């Protein structure tokens, strides 16, 4: 393999496009898990695939006392544990020598003065041309203060190069706080500079939803209420809250998952075809779906939503303690670790088609999937045969851990008697395209370097999502759960989740 200025060329993995712009990436909260587990491995993958500019540098900012050499040593020791592919020593050395570090308190203006000085130096040393993007891998309480400090230090002014800010979730705790956060940061940044990240949108299958829907003539015409019976979205995790008890006990599954991850999946699944792949054109169509999600009244919240909290149980053969026994969780906590609900989209395409969603912790299987169940064919032809019922066709988009698509349909079993057997056709990205494992952040970081905000949330999308969730929060806050915990770890949530679909003569799809 030949190296040109430290970047792999002809024998690299698939080169999906031109390298990102020359730039400096600044990570606030660089000593945390996100940096070592996801961001650094993602940057290495981009460099390996020739998608990272040769004029690139990285600055970590955190409160931990260390210098650049110590930070590099720490990253060098950790990268082997979290890299998704085997490291090329020359490639990694090229990247690691472009990593720098500044320690200090995020509220201290001196930190930003030091950062400004370092960035000016890196512009000269690495020819990064005044292009910076700031990644806020911090607690949400630091989002607005860090952005204010960046503004006060003149670091987001675009007089000499572009400046962008990536903001991690959760973006607010409710509708009012999300609106306030949007208002506060827009005092410093233009909307085009704000990249509200949702790492689920970096998944290959999520991005493929648009291609699958709109590039295939056999599916595009039937993607509507006439042919689809209902849609299910499942985001299940086998882990509990691990060491995130302090955060999770103040957030809960509804805030943590529904207005961001799951609503993004709903909007991509249900949106109308955009006229182009331009960022705002795609997000305009997503926003229309979010606005069409009908908020529930109090009675609908009680009948169409389910919340749960896990107790002791067995997950993957291992005994798991109850949520209330987890570190930094209140012993009488009323925080939900499971959510299920039934939603409707009030527009012409999806009228009367239920969208069921469920997400939770300490469930039997780690899986994220979108299941589209089509309406059954008429049974009239098979009345006088051995066939007693027709199964509906089902299309499932698997997002994790194995990314792919499966389709089920009926076929005649060979023999003199008419019998129908179920057939599953499975497509797996790794098998079919020989794709290498990714962290899910590669596409998002790359898009930010190019200025493509398609896969990032816009302010109106964030506020609309919280507006839909608000009535649920209000009712749940007013009416504490009668019984928590109400499902054992290692099961698929409380019985009420199954009853939610059973009332409609349906059941959850788990594959």
């Amino acid at each position: 393999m030949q190296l040109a200025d430290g970047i792999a060329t002809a024998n690299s993995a698939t080169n999906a496009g031109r390298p990102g712009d020359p730039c400096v990436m600044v990570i606030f909260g660089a000593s945390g898990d996100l940096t070592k587990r996801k961001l650094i491995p993602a940057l290495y993958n981009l460099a390996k695939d020739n998608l990272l500019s040769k004029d690139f540098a990285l600055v970590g900012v955190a409160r931990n006392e260390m210098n650049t050499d110590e930070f590099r040593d720490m990253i060098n020791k950790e990268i082997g544990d979290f890299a998704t592919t085997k490291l090329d020593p020359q490639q990694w050395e090229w990247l690691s020598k472009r990593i720098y570090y500044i320690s200090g308190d995020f509220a201290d203006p001196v930190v930003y003065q030091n950062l400004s000085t370092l960035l000016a130096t890196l512009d000269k040393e690495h020819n990064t041309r005044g292009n910076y993007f700031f990644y806020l891998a911090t607690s949400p309480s630091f989002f607005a203060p860090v952005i204010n400090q960046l503004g006060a230090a003149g670091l987001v002014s675009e007089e000499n190069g572009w400046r962008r800010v990536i903001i991690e979730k959760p973006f607010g705790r409710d509708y009012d706080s999300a609106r306030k956060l949007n208002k506060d940061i827009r005092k410093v940044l233009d909307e085009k500079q704000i990249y509200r990240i949702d790492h689920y949108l970096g998944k290959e299958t999520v991005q493929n939803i648009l291609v699958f829907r709109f590039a295939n003539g056999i599916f595009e015409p039937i993607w509507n209420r006439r042919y689809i019976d209902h849609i299910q979205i499942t985001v299940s995790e086998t882990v509990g809250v691990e060491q995130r008890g302090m955060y999770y006990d103040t957030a809960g599954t509804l805030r943590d998952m529904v207005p961001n991850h799951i609503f993004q999946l709903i909007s991509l699944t249900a949106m109308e075809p955009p006229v182009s792949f331009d960022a705002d054109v795609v997000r305009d169509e997503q926003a229309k779906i979010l606005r069409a999600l009908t908020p529930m009244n109090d009675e609908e919240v009680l009948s169409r939503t389910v919340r749960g909290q896990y107790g002791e149980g067995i997950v993957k053969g291992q005994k798991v303690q109850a949520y209330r026994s987890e570190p930094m969780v209140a012993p009488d906590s009323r925080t939900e670790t499971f959510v299920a609900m039934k939603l409707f989209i009030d527009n012409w395409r999806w009228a009367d088609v239920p969208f069921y969603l469920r997400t939770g912790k300490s469930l039997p299987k780690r899986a994220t999937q979108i299941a589209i169940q089509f309406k059954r064919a008429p049974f009239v032809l098979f009345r006088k045969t051995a066939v007693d019922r027709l199964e509906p066709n089902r299309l499932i988009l698997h997002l994790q851990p194995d990314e792919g698509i499966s389709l089920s349909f009926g076929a005649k079993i060979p023999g003199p008697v008419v019998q129908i057997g179920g057939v599953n056709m499975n497509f797996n990205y790794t098998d079919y395209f020989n794709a290498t494992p990714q962290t899910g952040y590669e596409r998002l970081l790359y898009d930010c370097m190019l200025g493509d905000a398609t896969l990032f949330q816009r302010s109106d999308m964030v506020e609309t999502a919280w507006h839909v969730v608000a009535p649920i929060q209000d009712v749940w806050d007013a009416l504490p759960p009668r019984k928590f915990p109400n499902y054992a770890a290692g099961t698929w949530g409380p019985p009420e989740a199954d009853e939610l679909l059973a009332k409609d003569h349906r059941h959850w799809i788990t594959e």
Side-chain angles (χ1 to χ4, degrees):
M1 178 170 62
Q2 299 298 316
L3 291 175
D5 199 14
I7 298 291
T9 53
N11 293 324
S12 298
T14 302
N15 186 346
R18 68 175 178 85
D21 292 350
C23 62
V24 182
M25 177 181 181
V26 180
I27 304 175
F28 286 90
S31 60
D33 277 359
L34 180 62
T35 300
K36 66 182 181 183
R37 291 176 180 271
K38 300 295 183 181
L39 300 182
I40 298 294
L43 290 170
Y44 172 78
N45 289 340
L46 289 174
K48 176 177 62 66
D49 290 346
N50 199 24
L51 296 175
L52 196 64
S53 171
K54 65 180 181 180
D55 302 318
F56 173 83
L58 171 69
V59 177
V61 182
R63 287 174 290 185
N64 300 51
E65 286 289 342
M66 65 179 106
N67 57 35
T68 289
D69 288 337
E70 291 169 330
F71 185 63
R72 288 178 181 176
D73 288 343
M74 182 182 76
I75 295 297
N76 279 319
K77 291 175 183 176
E78 295 169 340
I79 185 62
D81 294 329
F82 302 110
T84 60
T85 59
K86 185 178 180 180
L87 291 178
D88 177 273
Q90 289 178 278
Q91 190 73 74
W92 172 245
E93 182 181 12
W94 175 88
L95 180 59
S96 64
K97 285 183 176 179
R98 282 166 161 72
I99 296 175
Y100 301 84
Y101 186 81
I102 292 175
S103 65
D105 193 292
F106 298 153
D108 185 356
V110 174
V111 170
Y112 301 86
Q113 294 169 12
N114 294 338
L115 176 59
S116 181
T117 301
L118 177 57
L119 290 174
T121 300
L122 297 181
D123 281 340
K124 295 177 181 178
E125 288 187 4
H126 297 296
N127 194 29
T128 51
R129 306 176 198 179
N131 297 328
Y132 316 141
F133 72 103
F134 306 92
Y135 196 116
L136 304 191
T138 69
S139 164
S141 62
F142 290 112
F143 291 168
V146 168
I147 290 171
N148 285 334
Q149 291 278 9
L150 289 172
L155 289 172
V156 292
S157 172
E158 295 192 307
E159 294 176 1
N160 299 299
W162 53 253
R163 311 293 163 87
R164 298 163 189 152
V165 178
I166 296 181
I167 303 176
E168 268 285 348
K169 76 172 186 71
F171 196 91
R173 288 181 46 82
D174 50 28
Y175 177 67
D176 290 336
S177 61
R179 287 194 68 188
K180 183 179 186 303
L181 181 54
N182 272 329
K183 183 179 179 181
D184 289 344
I185 65 178
R186 281 201 298 256
K187 292 177 181 176
V188 180
L189 302 169
D190 292 333
E191 179 63 30
K192 67 181 179 65
Q193 295 178 279
I194 306 168
Y195 288 67
R196 300 169 187 83
I197 196 169
D198 184 341
H199 69 270
Y200 267 64
L201 298 192
K203 301 290 184 183
E204 199 64 51
T205 307
V206 173
Q207 299 166 42
N208 194 46
I209 292 173
L210 298 184
V211 175
F212 182 83
R213 283 189 57 193
F214 301 125
N216 293 295
I218 62 173
F219 291 112
E220 193 280 329
I222 61 174
W223 209 267
N224 56 56
R225 64 188 298 272
R226 182 175 296 179
Y227 300 100
I228 292 176
D229 178 77
H230 72 278
I231 292 176
Q232 297 183 21
I233 296 178
T234 295
V235 181
S236 62
E237 299 179 88
T238 56
V239 297
V241 297
E242 299 179 300
Q243 303 304 312
R244 299 173 66 222
M246 182 177 294
Y247 159 73
Y248 208 87
D249 209 36
T250 61
T253 297
L254 180 66
R255 286 188 175 96
D256 191 50
M257 295 295 292
V258 175
N260 37 67
H261 293 335
I262 292 181
F263 278 9
Q264 286 290 295
L265 298 182
I266 289 176
S267 66
L268 288 168
T269 303
M271 64 187 276
E272 294 296 319
V275 297
S276 75
F277 281 113
D278 289 347
D280 275 329
V281 174
V282 173
R283 295 190 295 182
D284 283 346
E285 298 300 336
Q286 287 184 267
K288 289 177 185 177
I289 292 298
L290 295 176
R291 287 194 291 270
L293 283 169
T294 50
M296 302 180 200
N297 59 38
D298 292 354
E299 291 184 2
E300 289 171 332
V301 171
L302 296 175
S303 64
R304 286 169 35 195
T305 69
V306 175
R307 53 181 160 169
Q309 185 190 92
Y310 65 85
E312 291 183 351
I314 304 294
V315 178
K316 302 171 85 172
Q318 300 294 318
K319 187 175 181 180
V320 173
Q321 63 185 346
Y323 172 74
R324 292 178 175 181
S325 299
E326 298 278 13
M328 295 177 285
V329 172
D332 58 349
S333 173
R334 301 188 304 191
T335 299
E336 79 285 348
T337 62
F338 177 94
V339 170
M341 66 180 67
K342 174 183 174 182
L343 295 171
F344 290 97
I345 296 174
D346 189 20
N347 68 9
W348 191 266
R349 181 184 291 263
W350 297 111
D352 301 322
V353 176
F355 283 68
Y356 300 99
L357 63 90
R358 62 174 171 171
T359 180
K361 298 281 190 182
S362 289
L363 300 179
K365 181 181 179 181
R366 176 175 175 254
T368 300
Q369 67 178 40
I370 302 169
I372 294 93
Q373 182 150 311
F374 294 92
K375 292 182 178 179
R376 286 186 177 90
F379 185 72
V380 59
L381 177 64
F382 301 94
R383 284 177 182 163
K384 296 181 180 181
T385 69
V387 178
D388 59 357
R389 60 176 282 143
L390 297 179
E391 292 297 328
N393 300 121
R394 186 178 294 158
L395 178 71
I396 301 181
L397 310 178
H398 302 276
L399 276 61
Q400 66 175 14
D402 299 316
E403 299 181 72
I405 300 170
S406 61
L407 175 67
S408 66
F409 57 90
K412 182 183 177 297
I413 299 174
V417 178
V418 177
Q419 293 179 301
I420 297 177
V423 177
N424 287 308
M425 296 180 65
N426 296 302
F427 152 68
N428 185 286
Y429 275 86
T430 302
D431 294 340
Y432 201 84
F433 291 120
N434 196 28
T436 57
Q438 301 277 290
T439 68
Y441 282 79
E442 288 84 357
R443 171 68 185 271
L444 299 168
L445 296 178
Y446 176 63
D447 282 356
C448 183
M449 294 175 197
L450 295 178
D452 183 351
T454 306
L455 296 178
F456 297 84
Q457 293 193 71
R458 207 168 53 190
S459 61
D460 59 327
M461 297 167 66
V462 170
E463 292 177 16
T464 301
W466 280 115
H467 179 67
V468 176
V469 168
I472 303 171
Q473 291 179 300
D474 291 342
V475 172
W476 285 7
D477 288 343
L479 298 174
R482 296 176 184 175
K483 181 186 176 184
F484 267 7
N486 60 354
Y487 72 96
T491 65
W492 282 105
E496 291 82 1
D498 293 326
E499 295 168 8
L500 181 67
L501 272 69
K503 290 185 293 186
D504 298 335
H505 306 289
R506 299 183 176 104
H507 61 85
W508 290 107
I509 297 166
T510 304
E511 289 190 9

